[in-house]
Amino acid sequence: GLASKVDTWFAAWSSNDAAERVRLLTPATTDDVKFRDAWAIVSTRDELLAHVTAAKRHMPGVLIERVGEPRHV
């Protein structure tokens, strides 16, 4: 369900292993995934993976986890 998908997304962002991030994000996203935050606007999976890698470099040790049930809005 949705909670599992959110957990996979957060696990990818929390992983320090680049191959693990690819393994997690490939089935969770499309090739033309769109993502925007305060530091980037990406429009492909490769750009997203590069952005997550940069985030891990600049914020080492940061873990992201879900608290509570996700809401679909």
Side-chain angles (χ1 to χ4, degrees), residues 5-70:
K5 291 178 183 185
V6 170
D7 291 342
T8 298
W9 176 266
F10 287 161
W13 277 83
S14 296
S15 176
N16 290 321
D17 183 280
E20 176 77 357
R21 290 193 296 270
V22 170
R23 186 188 69 75
L24 291 166
L25 284 177
T26 296
T29 61
T30 60
D31 289 337
D32 62 347
V33 63
K34 308 289 188 259
F35 178 81
R36 179 180 184 162
D37 65 12
W39 298 278
I41 299 171
V42 302
S43 57
T44 69
R45 185 183 299 118
D46 288 342
E47 289 176 0
L48 177 62
L49 287 163
H51 179 56
V52 175
T53 298
K56 298 302 291 181
R57 186 177 326 115
H58 295 287
M59 296 180 283
V62 169
L63 301 176
I64 303 171
E65 63 183 16
R66 176 174 55 87
V67 176
E69 291 304 311

